[in-house]
Amino acid sequence: MHRQKGMICTTSPNVPPFASTAVLLIFGLFVVSSLPEFAQGITRHYTFNIKYHNVTRLCHTRSIISVNGQFPGPRVVAREGDRVIVKVVNHVTNNVTIHWHGVRQLRSAWADGPAYVTQCPIQTGQTYTYNFTITGQRGTLLWHAHISWLRATLYGPIVILPKRNESYPFDKPYREIPILFGEWFNVDPEAVIKQALQTGAGPNVSDAYTINGLPGPLYNCSSKDTYKLKVKPGKTYLLRLINAALNDELFFSIANHTLTVVDADAVYVKPFETDKLLISPGQTTNVLLKTKPSYPNATFLMAARPYFTGQGTIDNSTVAGFLQYEHPSHRSSSSIKNVTLLNATLPAINATNVVADLARKLRSLANAQFPANVPQTVGRKFFFTVGLGTNPCPKNTTCQGPSNVTKFSASVNNVSFVLPSVAMLQAHFFGQSNGVYTTDFPANPPAPFNYTGTPPNNTNVSNGTRAVVLQFNTSVELVLQDTSILGAESHPLHLHGFNFFVVGQGFGNYDPNKDPASFNLVDPVERNTAGVPAGGWLAIRFLADNPGVWFMHCHLDVHTSWGLRMAWIVLDGPQPNQKLPPPPSDLPMC
């Protein structure tokens, strides 16, 4: 639960009668500026008790790890400019961290959350307080565990409202509703990934997708566990859509209704209408739903199912909920039961053209109030290949990877990232990186090949904890190239600590001589998570203006577990407000 308190005003001291008018005026301004209504933001306090609780889905009851006994977890609500303080208390046997996905964490890298990157995990019986300020963001983000696969049940919404007395750049909605997509496993997801890493095989897939924790009527034994969105005719609703699923990008649609996209990853976008969306894990999309002007004698299915082009196995099922209109008059329950149920239409599972079309429509507002500050010049350029690969089996063992002598792996520039046993940020801050990480991450693929053509014979990757070091305020251009090794597929890449601009994307191999000519440097979409197209490339730009160690990884957790991850180290700037402060006193130890 959370409580909210305003800034505390100072009490007036006794001002001597001989104080000058100027002093009184200055003091008066100070007191007024200390009042909550004049303050930039307030401080919001939350307590997250990490505990076990029993949940039944698909007629299977199991003990899950959750926050405050809620699944999905409680919403964190703040206004732009507010300070958020979350005390996390670990009552379970697992090590835990919480990541505030998409929050910029300006000079608050200690609060970012990825285990062994910015912090050691919170151990059983320990407490850690996350302390950060929401700066220059408004919309929807999410929080989730950031260690192993605990985020399967440890997740919830972050709702960021505009500053007080500021409004949306669209008509104020009648109601705002968070809708979180998730994945449900009948067994402990920790056991699933543990087994996969031991055998070298792909992990068992989930048993269902969920909407706000509920699988819905298309799954066995789940008709009562169905999310129902009840609406009134002639109203506009803001749906805050969040994909918290572990391993699946999801198409979403509502039968016979059009959605207007207004915000992506807590950044306003040029509004556009669509009857379908793609939301990748870690992505958020705010849409306006205008209900029909009069009561329709129908219930409308809202449904989501995966987008996938790879060669592995996935949970190819559909989660559904009901959009139900509340009739203005009190009709009998029997007549309400006779309404027509209309189905949602979703794209084919491998509809890459639909995905590309939706990506092209996302543009920043790029106006005077909400500018798109795209770096126009580039200080450093990087070219990273991303995709699957293999590691050899340990000696005298048999594996269940692509062959019986290999394990599945994943890499960036052929480096499969190994998490260290102490936190990188701590090692960086105290100058103790020796034996923790190296700073020689390759800026280009070590062995160029036809990335989207016939795969090379040798698919083995290297393993290491390697990072890229950036000077403060470096403007970065990064091209991410998918590879067809073990199948071309989309990779939703998430960058911690920054938003980035998607300046270009395309299919096939990136051509550094031709493709930059088509880059959008005027109004590209600004995100924290974006899909590298299956068999294609994505070009992003960002300004390294946030000191710290910042994780970048595929947000399909299976790929992260296999090593599709790396770290950027941004050095302090020259000014005091450009330096990372020391760690908080309660920072967990490894």
Side-chain angles (χ1 to χ4, degrees):
M1 304 303 292
H2 79 274
R3 56 194 173 86
Q4 172 184 325
K5 65 182 184 183
M7 293 178 68
I8 299 167
C9 298
T10 51
T11 52
S12 291
N14 294 320
V15 181
F18 51 80
S20 69
T21 308
V23 170
L24 285 169
L25 181 60
I26 291 166
F27 180 75
L29 286 171
F30 171 75
V31 171
V32 166
S33 66
S34 299
L35 294 171
E37 56 266 38
F38 287 87
Q40 284 297 98
I42 62 173
T43 301
R44 309 206 183 219
H45 290 263
Y46 294 83
T47 298
F48 277 19
N49 284 299
I50 312 290
K51 292 184 174 180
Y52 299 108
H53 90 273
N54 286 342
V55 171
T56 303
R57 296 289 184 270
L58 313 178
C59 282
H60 282 73
T61 301
R62 70 175 181 89
S63 177
I64 71 164
I65 296 176
S66 62
V67 168
N68 302 345
Q70 298 177 47
F71 173 65
R75 70 182 70 171
V76 170
V77 181
R79 289 190 180 276
E80 180 191 347
D82 284 354
R83 185 180 176 197
V84 177
I85 296 177
V86 186
K87 180 182 178 183
V88 176
V89 189
N90 185 7
H91 302 278
V92 302
T93 55
N94 302 69
N95 287 345
V96 169
T97 70
I98 302 293
H99 170 51
W100 316 93
H101 181 110
V103 172
R104 283 288 319 271
Q105 298 294 0
L106 286 162
R107 297 180 66 240
S108 56
W110 304 107
D112 192 43
Y116 303 107
V117 178
T118 57
Q119 69 167 97
C120 298
I122 308 165
Q123 297 173 31
T124 308
Q126 288 188 343
T127 296
Y128 180 49
T129 299
Y130 293 89
N131 184 340
F132 54 90
T133 299
I134 308 282
T135 306
Q137 296 178 282
R138 72 287 306 161
T140 306
L141 295 170
L142 72 153
W143 59 262
H144 60 76
H146 211 302
I147 183 168
S148 190
W149 279 21
L150 287 192
R151 74 178 184 89
T153 56
L154 269 177
Y155 64 87
I158 301 176
V159 173
I160 307 172
L161 302 168
K163 290 179 182 176
R164 203 170 296 281
N165 301 323
E166 287 189 5
S167 57
Y168 296 124
F170 46 83
D171 290 341
K172 186 178 179 182
Y174 173 68
R175 272 187 67 205
E176 302 185 13
I177 299 144
I179 293 181
L180 294 90
F181 303 101
E183 274 183 280
W184 174 262
F185 291 79
N186 284 334
V187 297
D188 180 6
E190 289 300 280
V192 172
I193 185 57
K194 185 180 178 183
Q195 179 188 34
L197 293 176
Q198 281 176 347
T199 64
N204 292 337
V205 300
S206 55
D207 294 283
Y209 299 109
T210 57
I211 298 177
N212 288 352
L214 301 169
L218 304 182
Y219 292 105
N220 179 44
C221 188
S222 300
S223 58
K224 289 183 180 176
D225 293 327
T226 300
Y227 176 69
K228 298 179 179 71
L229 174 57
K230 296 188 175 178
V231 297
K232 293 180 178 179
K235 302 287 186 186
T236 299
Y237 293 80
L238 179 69
L239 306 184
R240 297 176 175 272
L241 305 173
I242 298 168
N243 186 348
L246 275 185
N247 290 315
D248 292 279
E249 303 182 87
L250 295 170
F251 287 119
F252 173 69
S253 183
I254 302 178
N256 288 38
H257 285 75
T258 300
L259 304 169
T260 303
V261 179
V262 292
D263 188 302
D265 291 359
V267 182
Y268 295 131
V269 298
K270 288 185 171 72
F272 70 91
E273 291 187 350
T274 181
D275 60 353
K276 56 191 156 302
L277 289 167
L278 176 81
I279 311 177
S280 297
Q283 287 187 337
T284 59
T285 308
N286 281 7
V287 298
L288 298 176
L289 167 70
K290 289 189 178 178
T291 56
K292 299 187 180 299
S294 57
Y295 176 81
N297 198 34
T299 290
F300 304 88
L301 212 64
M302 42 199 297
R305 76 171 178 214
Y307 160 63
F308 184 66
T309 63
Q311 296 178 357
T313 338
I314 61 157
D315 175 0
N316 189 13
S317 62
T318 303
V319 60
F322 294 137
L323 178 70
Q324 294 180 330
Y325 280 74
E326 297 178 31
H327 198 276
S329 62
H330 296 287
R331 304 203 306 174
S332 70
S333 58
S334 61
S335 61
I336 289 175
K337 284 178 183 174
N338 292 331
V339 297
T340 308
L341 176 63
L342 296 175
N343 282 325
T345 306
L346 288 163
I349 188 170
N350 60 351
T352 302
N353 58 327
V354 173
V355 174
D357 183 53
L358 286 166
R360 278 191 292 267
K361 290 178 178 176
L362 282 166
R363 300 291 181 96
S364 288
L365 272 184
N367 59 21
Q369 189 179 0
F370 303 106
N373 296 316
V374 194
Q376 297 296 311
T377 57
V378 175
R380 291 190 68 183
K381 290 188 177 185
F382 298 88
F383 181 73
F384 289 178
T385 55
V386 295
L388 304 187
T390 57
N391 263 322
C393 247
K395 282 185 179 178
N396 304 320
T397 60
T398 303
C399 288
Q400 297 168 21
S403 73
N404 62 6
V405 293
T406 58
K407 290 183 160 195
F408 275 107
S409 187
S411 67
V412 182
N413 270 358
N414 210 50
V415 179
S416 188
F417 187 89
V418 179
L419 282 177
S421 54
V422 297
M424 293 177 71
L425 182 62
Q426 220 167 332
H428 161 67
F429 187 85
F430 292 107
Q432 298 169 345
S433 62
N434 196 21
V436 180
Y437 63 84
T438 60
T439 56
D440 57 350
F441 190 90
N444 293 284
F449 61 98
N450 181 2
Y451 308 114
T452 55
T454 305
N457 292 330
N458 183 0
T459 60
N460 284 348
V461 300
S462 66
N463 301 284
T465 310
R466 302 164 71 180
V468 172
V469 176
L470 296 171
Q471 295 293 327
F472 184 83
N473 257 358
T474 301
S475 54
V476 175
E477 180 179 288
L478 168 62
V479 175
L480 296 152
Q481 172 72 58
D482 184 36
T483 63
S484 57
I485 300 173
L486 304 182
E489 58 181 293
S490 172
H491 297 279
L493 258 288
H494 171 48
L495 175 61
H496 289 231
F498 300 93
N499 280 349
F500 53 77
F501 292 94
V502 179
V503 296
Q505 55 195 309
F507 291 106
N509 295 339
Y510 173 73
D511 186 333
N513 298 313
K514 294 179 182 175
D515 288 325
S518 62
F519 282 2
N520 175 7
L521 302 180
V522 178
D523 63 349
V525 69
E526 184 179 349
R527 305 206 74 143
N528 64 62
T529 306
V532 179
W537 55 271
L538 185 82
I540 65 173
R541 288 188 180 184
F542 65 95
L543 185 66
D545 59 353
N546 194 7
V549 178
W550 304 107
F551 209 26
M552 188 179 81
H553 60 97
C554 181
H555 221 276
L556 305 177
D557 267 23
V558 58
H559 292 173
T560 302
S561 300
W562 284 340
L564 209 166
R565 51 195 180 188
M566 56 82 65
W568 303 86
I569 298 174
V570 179
L571 302 178
D572 283 349
Q575 304 302 320
N577 65 348
Q578 297 170 342
K579 298 181 190 303
L580 179 68
S585 58
D586 63 340
L587 184 75
M589 297 291 109
C590 287

